[in-house]
Amino acid sequence: MKIKFQYIAAVIALAGIQDAFAQEEKNIGTEVVNVVKPYTPTISDAFKVKETPVIEDDEIQEKKEIEYNIFSFPVASTFTPSKGRAAGVERREREKLFNNYATLGVGNYGTVNAELFVTENISRNAYVGGMLRHLSSQGGIDDVKLDDKYYNTSLDLTYGNRQQGYSWNADLGYSNKVYNWYGIPFQEIEFDDATLNGIDEQQTYHSLYVGGKISANDSFFKDASALYKRFWDASGSAENRFYVTPSLDIAVLDEKIKVDFIADYVGGTFEEGFMSGEELSYNFFNLGVQPSILFQRDDFSVNLGAGLFYSIGKMNDESDNKFFVYPQVKASYKVVGDLMIAYAGAEGTLKQNSYADFVEENPFVSPTLAVAPTDQQYDIYVGLKGKLAGNVAYNIRGSYMNEDNRAFFISNSIYSAPAFEDNAAGYAYGNSFGLVYDRLKTVSFYGELKADFSKTVTAGINGTFNSYTTDQDEAWNLPQFKLGANVDVDITEKWYAGANVFFVGERKDISLFENTVLPGDDYFGQVVTMKSFFDLNAHVGYRYNERLTGFLRLNNIANQDYQRWVNYPVQGFQFLVGASYKFNF
């Protein structure tokens, strides 16, 4: 390209020289030039340049990968860092734990409440413990003509041993309870002083038991419990109760199979029926097996099981053997994690009743009961539970239960005036309770809220509504409504307080009287409605130090004169002041 440019430059230069010498005047003549086509300029079409041009080279060279290496070598340094110092943090003093405590409190109505709990490790794996309780009152309820004092004393001992693969404990206990049949129906019959003075209203209950439990780790055998209990009273009644309940856990693939076994025996005698003069006896031996399998998938779990029971029964020389089958199904589903959990189930069982259990529920029963098991055929329920917030938990539930041979407490009859002259038993004046059995269907709705407002304030409220259907005229002594609420507050590090209130709706009972007027009828009676009531209780305490705490308890603050059982008014406003002391040996 450089040679060509020089050549063109030489030609132009020569042309210039020639023109310089051609300035001489000459006649060159004329010439006609014909333009064949005029020049018309045009603009070519525009086009967009591609951002990524197409490469048409036959060979494309790949980029060579570059490897970086750091050549390191030690550098001598004389720098010495100064030692850091942790910031000062005030450590909270760790609360000291004690193994034993003693409590003593006294109050009006001559009330005494005492407790002593002691436990001690006798070796690395073994321990012993004991609990002594006493609660008594000298009575003094207004308008009560008979003695209404009570005593309740119990002693429980235990020995336990914990090994790497299993643990077990043995228990021994005795209790003594003294109550009085003070619920004379003065509104129906007026008793003279001689009759009242001739009534022996005191009843004493004794209980002695021995039992134990064993649990295993990493074994298909889960645990087993056993108990023998001897229960008797001052009226010549006696009862023996024995049960053993082993349980197995078997893992099959990813599922868990559980099998519970039950062997439950109860038998006892009463010296006589209610003024019949004949001895009463009962014996029931229930054998049961309850297999179940648990399925768990993510947020869903279901427990499928059944209860199979065979009851060998005998009452007053009449045998009654039966076989029972019950559903035992439970399921739950996490609708919104732990915030909302839906659950449902259908469960049933054969409930073993006993004289001791009836006394625990109502100490004013007569020693003339007909004791028999209750067939709880099914309890179908559905509900929701979870958390409304991080500190508020809820539970709502609806259920339908069907029971056969359900036991109802009902007032015993009161005898006519001539019978009083025969010095009848202390429970034969309309001041005791017997039992009647019948079918019972219950529709129930339950709701509960629990809140932990802070580490120092907790509260809760719950309520139950029941609707009963039975062949009896009424569901005797069963309330339709129950409400309860409580709050507990740590006011300061030293002071704490709390309160609770409960409400019980109306209940109905029947008062029976021996008929000495109308021929053909042995008894006549009238339905008695016991009013609904509420009971407000509170307590306050002061922690003097880590060992000693004083307390004040107030019961029935509103001084409600209500009846828990017909003709049995309760104590009015009560206070109890005392102290608790913790210690170690």
Side-chain angles (χ1 to χ4, degrees):
M1 296 297 292
K2 183 176 180 182
I3 297 174
K4 186 181 289 188
F5 175 78
Q6 292 175 350
Y7 174 76
I8 295 172
V11 173
I12 294 173
L14 291 175
I17 297 172
Q18 184 178 0
D19 185 61
F21 289 101
Q23 297 301 317
E24 184 180 353
E25 187 180 62
K26 288 183 178 181
N27 185 8
I28 63 174
T30 62
E31 186 176 357
V32 178
V33 179
N34 296 325
V35 179
V36 179
K37 182 179 180 182
Y39 173 72
T40 305
T42 60
I43 301 175
S44 62
D45 295 336
F47 62 92
K48 183 179 180 180
V49 179
K50 294 183 179 180
E51 294 181 359
T52 304
V54 178
I55 301 175
E56 297 179 353
D57 294 349
D58 293 336
E59 295 183 1
I60 300 176
Q61 293 182 353
E62 296 181 357
K63 293 182 179 180
K64 187 177 181 180
E65 185 177 356
I66 301 176
E67 296 181 358
Y68 297 92
N69 294 320
I70 299 175
F71 178 71
S72 61
F73 56 91
V75 178
S77 175
T78 59
F79 172 74
T80 304
S82 60
K83 295 182 179 180
R85 184 178 181 183
V89 178
E90 184 178 354
R91 294 184 60 184
R92 185 176 181 180
E93 185 178 357
R94 185 177 179 181
E95 183 179 359
K96 187 176 181 179
L97 301 179
F98 297 91
N99 296 329
N100 317 296
Y101 76 88
T103 298
L104 178 63
V106 295
N108 60 338
Y109 293 97
T111 302
V112 176
N113 185 14
E115 291 184 5
L116 174 63
F117 176 78
V118 176
T119 181
E120 187 69 19
N121 293 324
I122 57 178
S123 69
R124 181 178 179 181
N125 300 320
Y127 65 91
V128 294
M131 169 70 82
L132 176 64
R133 298 186 182 96
H134 175 81
L135 177 62
S136 63
S137 173
Q138 300 304 313
I141 302 175
D142 295 339
D143 300 327
V144 170
K145 300 296 181 63
L146 300 181
D147 193 355
D148 60 326
K149 65 183 177 183
Y150 66 86
Y151 296 87
N152 189 342
T153 305
S154 63
L155 174 64
D156 300 280
L157 303 174
T158 185
Y159 170 84
N161 194 293
R162 295 182 292 261
Q163 300 295 332
Q164 184 175 1
Y166 65 94
S167 61
W168 63 276
N169 65 278
D171 304 317
L172 175 66
Y174 170 77
S175 69
N176 173 261
K177 299 180 180 180
V178 178
Y179 289 92
N180 287 275
W181 291 296
Y182 65 87
I184 296 292
F186 290 99
Q187 296 180 355
E188 288 79 8
I189 294 180
E190 184 176 352
F191 297 89
D192 56 32
D193 293 339
T195 301
L196 294 175
N197 292 333
I199 298 176
D200 183 10
E201 66 271 26
Q202 182 172 297
Q203 172 66 302
T204 303
Y205 301 106
H206 304 269
S207 177
L208 177 65
Y209 74 88
V210 58
K213 182 177 180 179
I214 183 171
S215 302
N217 302 326
D218 301 327
S219 172
F220 70 93
F221 173 77
K222 182 182 178 182
D223 55 43
S225 299
L227 177 73
Y228 169 75
K229 185 176 184 178
R230 173 73 173 179
F231 185 80
W232 70 99
D233 63 22
S235 300
S237 310
E239 178 184 76
N240 295 307
R241 176 82 180 272
F242 172 78
Y243 67 78
V244 57
T245 58
S247 179
L248 307 179
D249 273 351
I250 305 172
V252 179
L253 298 179
D254 294 332
E255 315 304 340
K256 181 179 179 181
I257 298 177
K258 183 179 180 181
V259 183
D260 296 330
F261 298 93
I262 299 174
D264 192 345
Y265 169 81
V266 64
T269 58
F270 297 103
E271 281 196 346
E272 59 181 9
F274 192 76
M275 288 300 171
S276 66
E278 299 179 358
E279 184 182 79
L280 300 178
S281 64
Y282 57 94
N283 294 276
F284 290 93
F285 187 33
N286 298 338
L287 295 172
V289 57
Q290 301 178 117
S292 63
I293 182 170
L294 176 64
F295 298 94
Q296 289 182 319
R297 297 293 184 273
D298 297 329
D299 295 333
F300 178 75
S301 68
V302 59
N303 193 321
L304 300 177
L308 309 175
F309 286 84
Y310 185 71
S311 179
I312 305 172
K314 188 176 182 181
M315 180 175 291
N316 297 332
D317 298 328
E318 294 184 7
S319 300
D320 187 14
N321 303 336
K322 292 182 180 180
F323 181 73
F324 303 89
V325 179
Y326 300 102
Q328 293 183 353
V329 180
K330 296 181 290 184
S332 65
Y333 177 70
K334 293 183 178 180
V335 182
V336 188
D338 292 333
L339 300 179
M340 180 181 294
I341 302 174
Y343 63 93
E347 300 182 71
T349 189
L350 183 63
K351 179 184 177 182
Q352 185 78 287
N353 294 317
S354 67
Y355 181 33
D357 292 339
F358 288 134
V359 168
E360 189 70 24
E361 186 175 357
N362 183 355
F364 308 111
V365 294
S366 63
T368 60
L369 305 180
V371 178
T374 295
D375 177 15
Q376 294 182 345
Q377 297 176 349
Y378 53 82
D379 180 13
I380 302 173
Y381 59 87
V382 61
L384 284 174
K385 63 181 179 180
K387 294 182 178 181
L388 296 176
N391 57 353
V392 180
Y394 68 91
N395 184 13
I396 55 176
R397 165 177 165 153
S399 66
Y400 175 72
M401 179 183 288
N402 190 12
E403 299 174 279
D404 193 15
N405 213 37
R406 173 67 153 80
F408 299 88
F409 291 107
I410 190 171
S411 295
N412 284 324
S413 62
I414 184 172
Y415 288 84
S416 60
F420 296 138
E421 300 175 359
D422 298 333
N423 195 20
Y427 53 82
Y429 296 82
N431 56 339
S432 64
F433 297 85
L435 295 173
V436 293
Y437 292 85
D438 210 328
R439 295 183 63 88
L440 178 66
K441 298 179 181 180
T442 307
V443 178
S444 178
F445 297 96
Y446 172 79
E448 181 183 30
L449 280 176
K450 292 183 178 180
D452 295 331
F453 297 107
S454 66
K455 293 182 179 180
T456 59
V457 181
T458 61
I461 184 171
N462 63 81
T464 304
F465 169 78
N466 297 311
S467 177
Y468 305 106
T469 302
T470 179
D471 294 337
Q472 297 286 315
D473 294 337
E474 299 286 348
W476 307 117
N477 283 293
L478 295 180
Q480 281 192 331
F481 295 97
K482 283 186 178 181
L483 296 174
N486 68 281
V487 60
D488 290 288
V489 181
D490 285 336
I491 304 172
T492 66
E493 186 178 350
K494 294 287 188 179
W495 289 93
Y496 66 91
N500 67 80
V501 60
F502 60 88
F503 171 85
V504 178
E506 291 183 348
R507 293 132 294 126
K508 294 187 178 182
D509 203 334
I510 186 171
S511 293
L512 295 173
F513 304 93
E514 186 180 7
N515 182 22
T516 58
V517 179
L518 300 176
D521 293 333
D522 293 332
Y523 298 95
F524 71 94
Q526 61 182 3
V527 175
V528 179
T529 300
M530 288 170 286
K531 296 180 180 180
S532 59
F533 65 90
F534 75 92
D535 198 327
L536 176 61
N537 308 306
H539 67 272
V540 62
Y542 177 74
R543 303 181 183 95
Y544 179 76
N545 55 35
E546 60 183 8
R547 293 177 178 270
L548 183 62
T549 300
F551 61 84
L552 172 65
R553 300 173 187 170
L554 306 176
N555 296 329
N556 197 2
I557 296 175
N559 197 28
Q560 296 291 297
D561 185 20
Y562 63 86
Q563 297 182 5
R564 176 62 184 89
W565 305 99
V566 65
N567 298 322
Y568 277 86
V570 300
Q571 295 177 348
F573 172 75
Q574 307 155 48
F575 71 86
L576 187 74
V577 59
S580 178
Y581 183 75
K582 303 175 185 178
F583 60 96
N584 287 328
F585 290 117

